[in-house]
Every structure is written in C-alpha cells, then in structure tokens.
Amino acid sequence: MGLIVRVYDIVSPNDFDLSIGESPYGPFTQLNGPNPDNSWPGSTTGSTTSTERNYRTDPIYIGDNDPEVVSGVPPSSDVVFYDLEFDTEFWLKIEDKVNVIDTCENNQTPRYIVENIYIHDSKTFECYDKINFSVSYVCATPTPTPTPQPTSTPLPTPTPSPSPTAGEITPTPTDIVVTGDTANCGEGIDMVFILDRTGSMATPINNLKNSINSYAQKVIEVSEDNYRFGLISVHGDFNNPQYNLRLALAPSNEDALATALTTFGASGGNSFPEPTDNALEAVLDNTISYGPFLNNTNKIIVMITDATPSGGDDQYAIGTDDVRAAALATQALNQNVRIFAINTGNGPTNPDVVSVMQNYASTTFGQYAESPDGSVSTAINNALDDLCDDE
C-alpha cells in the first residue's frame, strides 16, 4: 500500500526552512517550499494569506510514491518528498529564517528544532496514514538591559579599552582564559573531535569506537561530570574536500558520541592532504552548528589526522597552508580554545604534519602526541592528565 504523511499544525513567527533525514544529527534533505528561496511561509494567525499559511487546512505532504499516486488526495504535485519507508525513523528539522541561536554570543546559526516521526506498517492502517506532527515554535526575544540613570555625583572618565583584533573574543568575568599549560578541568570541558576519516585512519577510528569507555570516563572524571562532546569528520577526495558534523555539543552525551562514531568508516583520501584546517576554521568561526563552545568551560579541540592541511584544494603548499594553519592556531588561542593535536595513521611520520600539529598544540597551550599504532584513546587520556591540575 502507499504511504502519505501529513505534516501539520506548524506554528512559526517567521518563514522557515524544512528538511528531513534518518538521524537527528543529519544529513538532512531540504523539502522545498513555495517561497522563491524554497523556504516555507510562517504561521501565527491560523489563516492563509500572501505571507502566511494555515498548516492545519493546508498541510505539507510527504510519502513513498509506492504505488505511484495518480489521482486522489493529495494530488502527486503536492507531495514534496517521496523517499519515506515503513518501519523507519525519520527526523524533521525546522530552521527559523530570521532568529539566530544567540546574538549575544555572536552565534548566527539559525534557531531550529528537530522532531522525530516513526512510520509503522500495520494492516489496520488506512491507505493514507495520518501522523500528527504538532510543533509550537516561538523564538524568544532578548530583554534589553535597562540604561542606568545618571546621578548628581560626577563620575571619572573611564579609560578607553583597546578594541579586540580579528578572531578575538573579549572575556567576561566568568570566561575561562587560557594562559598556561594546565587548567582546572573541574570547571567543565567542551570537547570537539575533528577526525580524519580517510583510508589510512581505520585503526585510529576503530580505537575511538572501541575505547570510548576509557577516554569518555576520563573526561567525566576530570570535568566532575560537567562535559559535552562534539564530532566532525573530515573526508577529502580530489576536488571534493569536505567535512561533516556528526554530533553537536550537548550535556553528558557520551552515548550519542558512541552512536555517531558508528555512522562512518575509513575510506578514500589517496594520501592527499585533508581539509582539517577548513573544519577547524568552521568551528572557530561558528559556521557549522556544532555548539557553540561555552565561555565558562574548558574548550578543547581534539584533532586526529596523519595528513597535512589542504586548505580545501587537496594540496599542501609551504608558505600558504602552513601560514594559514598558524593563523588558525592564534585565532584559537584568542578564543581560549586549546588544541590536542594527535598525529597518527599508517606509514612514516611526515615532518610537515609534525610541524603543523606541534604548532597547533604549542600556540594554544594544548597537547601534541604521536600515535603510530593508532591508540588515540591513550593519547587523549595522557593529554588530559597533563592538562588537568586537580584544583
């Protein structure tokens, strides 16, 4: 029998993007809406107008087109997605076109929600199944800080503070500022892995999967159970360098990290440089929805690779890519982010890899390790032992 799912009762103050995937962490396929930019109209009044849509009377239809819908309700032209399957979990993601995560933290990632639907085959179902996907989506507006009224007592003129340079974040009193090789890890840890997933990295990837109880428990211990994990995989084939968000930072999410590590394996690469520097830049510039880092916790990026950075063109050029990597290390320090740089993989160590990775670590007061046998979990534990001063 055919499958049609009606997505309705969506409430959004602004236009929104809608996408679907088989994991809450992506990847997602966009469901094109009627707006010129393929977004969907907002809905707050319950009426359909030139700028709004009533999603109860005019829902969004997705289905499997098996058998093909030739005539009936809805017409096939109204179905915007045809790859549903029975007995499969799907996740719908709604992204606001106006509001962002946090303007105060300069996080320009659109606000979004992800909701789960599960389609179960049953002989008692009608031909057109109806699954209620009810969403109430309202973005909060920050309350402005009241301006203090002047008093009759004159105040001294404050000394102007120098403006921060590019890439810097001005610390607040609660920020953790990186100033040395040790830290009070009990204040919390945000740890984002940037993991090269090309063919030579099979052993390190398997070690991360099989030894998660070891290094995750170490993070839990030293952070006093105040931790979040994130994961970005890097896979650069010639003319197609890419990085993918596998897991966003979330509290106490070691189980989600274990699951995310099972969603890919080692393949490709062909001994070319890899775009690990592009992934690092995306985290520092917050152009990938990984978190972002919290200012009042220890921010750590664990970069695991056996290749030089490619800058996105699958080439490593002395005087260009090494200079860019050094600038990213300085940006990380300015944002109080440490880098654990773990040089691993098969074959002899590349001196260019050593140079770049050691600079990542030394510039950011992080840790550098070489793990030719792929035992990266041991390297992570040793780095945490060296960093955490047990305050």
Side-chain angles (χ1 to χ4, degrees):
M1 68 179 181
L3 171 65
I4 291 292
V5 173
R6 181 176 62 159
V7 183
Y8 71 101
D9 275 354
I10 298 176
V11 178
S12 175
N14 307 305
D15 291 354
F16 59 89
D17 287 326
L18 182 64
S19 54
I20 191 169
E22 294 185 28
S23 165
Y25 312 110
F28 290 93
T29 299
Q30 183 171 357
L31 305 183
N32 292 333
N35 291 341
D37 62 352
N38 294 325
S39 66
W40 295 85
S43 177
T44 56
T45 64
S47 301
T48 297
T49 66
S50 60
T51 59
E52 288 201 359
R53 175 167 171 164
N54 182 340
Y55 289 96
R56 172 166 285 275
T57 60
D58 192 9
I60 299 170
Y61 294 102
I62 54 180
D64 67 348
N65 207 31
D66 183 18
E68 180 180 1
V69 177
V70 178
S71 61
V73 179
S76 58
S77 59
D78 285 356
V79 182
V80 297
F81 183 76
Y82 269 127
D83 291 326
L84 289 186
E85 297 287 344
F86 282 109
D87 297 320
T88 304
E89 283 191 284
F90 288 91
W91 302 81
L92 289 171
K93 181 177 183 180
I94 297 178
E95 294 181 88
D96 195 289
K97 296 291 288 184
V98 176
N99 290 295
V100 297
I101 294 289
D102 194 340
T103 55
C104 297
E105 294 289 342
N106 196 30
N107 185 349
Q108 301 303 310
T109 305
R111 291 199 177 202
Y112 67 92
I113 58 174
V114 177
E115 291 289 338
N116 171 251
I117 60 173
Y118 179 69
I119 298 121
H120 179 63
D121 193 1
S122 171
K123 293 180 180 179
T124 64
F125 276 19
E126 298 176 358
C127 181
Y128 292 100
D129 304 327
K130 297 177 181 179
I131 297 176
N132 184 351
F133 179 75
S134 180
V135 177
S136 179
Y137 179 44
V138 179
C139 292
T141 302
T143 302
T145 302
T147 303
Q149 298 299 317
T151 65
S152 58
T153 304
L155 299 175
T157 303
T159 303
S161 300
S163 300
T165 58
E168 290 184 346
I169 293 179
T170 303
T172 67
T174 59
D175 283 1
I176 290 180
V177 180
V178 172
T179 58
D181 295 324
T182 60
N184 180 5
C185 295
E187 294 181 303
I189 291 177
D190 276 358
M191 179 174 286
V192 174
F193 292 87
I194 296 179
L195 178 59
D196 179 351
R197 55 154 295 194
T198 52
S200 62
M201 297 294 293
T203 300
I205 291 173
N206 288 333
N207 180 263
L208 278 178
K209 293 177 181 178
N210 298 330
S211 302
I212 186 169
N213 288 339
S214 173
Y215 60 86
Q217 185 58 43
K218 172 65 74 172
V219 172
I220 294 170
E221 174 188 333
V222 299
S223 70
E224 299 179 7
D225 206 21
N226 179 16
Y227 64 95
R228 305 189 303 168
F229 288 120
L231 174 62
I232 298 169
S233 66
V234 176
H235 189 207
D237 289 325
F238 185 67
N239 288 331
N240 187 31
Q242 57 183 306
Y243 52 87
N244 299 98
L245 178 66
R246 302 285 178 172
L247 178 67
L249 290 169
S252 303
N253 63 339
E254 73 276 12
D255 290 340
L257 175 62
T259 300
L261 285 166
T262 65
T263 61
F264 61 92
S267 65
N270 299 320
S271 301
F272 288 107
E274 309 302 342
T276 49
D277 50 343
N278 283 9
L280 174 60
E281 182 179 51
V283 172
L284 296 177
D285 289 348
N286 200 28
T287 57
I288 187 172
S289 302
Y290 75 97
F293 284 127
L294 299 176
N295 285 337
N296 61 347
T297 195
N298 293 285
K299 300 177 278 291
I300 300 173
I301 292 174
V302 181
M303 181 177 292
I304 306 174
T305 185
D306 63 348
T308 50
S310 69
D313 60 4
D314 237 17
Q315 303 292 324
Y316 178 74
I318 298 292
T320 299
D321 293 308
D322 57 336
V323 172
R324 179 171 183 258
L328 289 171
T330 300
Q331 181 180 348
L333 177 63
N334 289 337
Q335 296 178 202
N336 299 305
V337 177
R338 301 178 191 268
I339 299 177
F340 286 0
I342 302 177
N343 179 7
T344 186
N346 300 322
T349 300
N350 185 324
D352 291 328
V353 178
V354 174
S355 177
V356 170
M357 298 283 274
Q358 283 183 338
N359 185 68
Y360 279 151
S362 62
T363 299
T364 64
F365 296 98
Q367 301 287 329
Y368 171 76
E370 293 182 3
S371 183
D373 63 354
S375 57
V376 290
S377 62
T378 301
I380 295 169
N381 288 342
N382 291 340
L384 288 169
D385 284 336
D386 291 339
L387 173 67
C388 302
D389 59 7
D390 297 322
E391 288 186 3

